[in-house]
Each structure stands twice: as structure tokens, then as C-alpha cells.
Amino acid sequence: MPSPKRSIHVVAGVITDARGRILLNRRTENSDMAGLWEFPGGKREDGETSEQALVRELREELGIEAEVGDWIMDVPQVYPDKHLRLEVRHVRSWKGSPRGREGQAITWVASDKLSRYSMPPADLPVVAALRHPDRYLITPEPDTDDAAAHRDWYARLARALDAGVRRVQLRTPASAARVALAEQAVARHGGGVQWLLNRDIELARRLGVGVHLGSEQLLQLETRPLPDGQLVAASCHDLAQLQAAQRLGCDFAVLGPVQATPSHPGAAPMGWNSFESLRAQVSLPLYALGGLGPGDIAESRRHGAQGIASISRLWSGDAVPAGG
């Protein structure tokens, strides 16, 4: 019988310089996952608070005296030999000049270049949380194909965008009028919004936007359906689907339902504990879905999500200026 895995609580810091660049450490040759880049920090010892642990680790690793700032997220991650909880905090300020005191390389990286660096699985969701929106609007379909319904749908979309939503899945089935509605939304609001079309790979390719795959599509595709630069996301409900999305090279996935929701009346909610357990087994950035709104973003990040995905709560006006 295999021995139980040890549990480790690691605290890492996001250190940003005056140019907005973020400091990364490179793991040394004699460490696990040697050569990978990570946010600096280390293990929280017995009797330490998270703040004390991070201050100590940054002193030992980088030779700086840090003032720990706001909490960002926790990432649970299962490794072959351990269960890791990575707690991530902003570093408000520091004294001294950071240097690799343990023989490690360090580098300052622009936030939009972080994805170019190979990182341990637990650090990848942190990059997504730092760079991308903390809420993901899934639009309902227009009630009918008549002009009045389309005007109302578009007005609600415009209100959500005005409220700060910046990542949107457009659910507009493939009638000519509804395709035109998607084209109009992308053309009018374009650059400041990340658009994904529900399931329609060919239309996404033609419009130069992303696609959100249904869970049934994940098992049918063998390769990523769009090039890098066009987002690919997926709906997932279990570990097999999450692993398929990760193999396919999806940029993120939506996992749920976490709580009961009218959009999935027959689906039993998984709850936060099951969400976290699934989250820990992949490195894919995730949004939590199911009966959640902006007020649940902090709770979602306690369980490793970068934020929440929602239909009704973001479509009905609950959106507030989006993070990320």
C-alpha cells in the first residue's frame, strides 16, 4: 500500500517593479522540477503565519526585507510525492536589491510575457489570475429570432460590457440572424473584449475570435482547433473532461456546477470541496460555474479558480468592474 502523500503549504510573492514587471525565480539543479521558473517564496513552517513565512523566504532567497500585501489566491495541486497548497500574496514594498542568494537565476518579466516561461503546474493558474479577467460572462440565447428580441439582447450585452466584463462567451445558435448578431457584437466592441463563440469553430476561425467547446466536443477533437492567439476554452464537469481539455491545449476551462443553478436543473452541484479536488489534479486555469456571481470571486480563488463564470448574475446587472 503506497504511503500517504505529505501536505505542504507554500507561500509565494508577486513582486512588481516600477515598470510593472514581475520577478521570477528559477529552480536550481538540485531541486524538484529543476530549471522551471516560479514566483519566489517557500514552505510555511510550523508556528509561522503566512506573512512571516514569506518575509523569511524572501530574505533567504533574494536578500530583501519585504512588506507583504494583499492575498491573491490559493492553488491546491497534487504532485506525485505531495499535496501542495500554494498561497499567493502581493508584495507591497521591499528594501534591498533582489539577487539570487541561493545560486538561482532571477529575472523581471512583463506580465504579458509570463506565459513564455516554463513553470510548475501550481504557478500556471496564478499567471492566469494576474493577467486575465476574474469573471466570464456566458450570454443566454436571444428569446426569439425577431428584431425586438435581438435589440433587447444586444442592449443587455452592452450594459454588461459597460459594467466591466471583458471576457464573453456568445451563445447564438446558427441561424443567419443570430450569426449576424455575433458578428455585430464582435465588430462593434472588438479590441477591448475577449470573445469566444459557443461551439462554432468555423465561425470563430472566420471572425478571428475564440471558441468555447462543449464537453462532448473535447473527446472528438485530437488537436487544438484554433491557433495560439485565438482562445480555446471548454465546459467540464469531471476529471476526464478536464484532462482532455488540458491535453487539447485549452487556454482555460469552466468547471461546475458548484451550486444549484437554473441553467442546469438536472445537475447535482459538486460543492467547493469537489471543485478543489478536481482543480488540484490539473494545471489548467479554471472558472467556477453554477449559481455564482461577482460576490463569490474571493471564495472561488480560495479553491484555486481564477474567478467565476455566470449567465444570469452577470447578464442581469450584477457585474462590477472586472479584475484581471
Side-chain angles (χ1 to χ4, degrees), residues 141-150 178:
E141 298 173 11
D143 293 333
T144 64
D145 253 348
D146 63 80
H150 285 194
R178 293 182 178 186

Side-chain angles (χ1 to χ4, degrees), residues 215-240:
S215 55
E216 77 284 353
Q217 289 177 289
L218 289 172
L219 303 179
Q220 300 169 0
L221 293 166
E222 296 182 356
T223 59
R224 180 184 168 96
L226 295 176
D228 290 343
Q230 286 179 255
L231 292 171
V232 177
S235 292
C236 297
H237 309 287
D238 57 33
L239 181 58

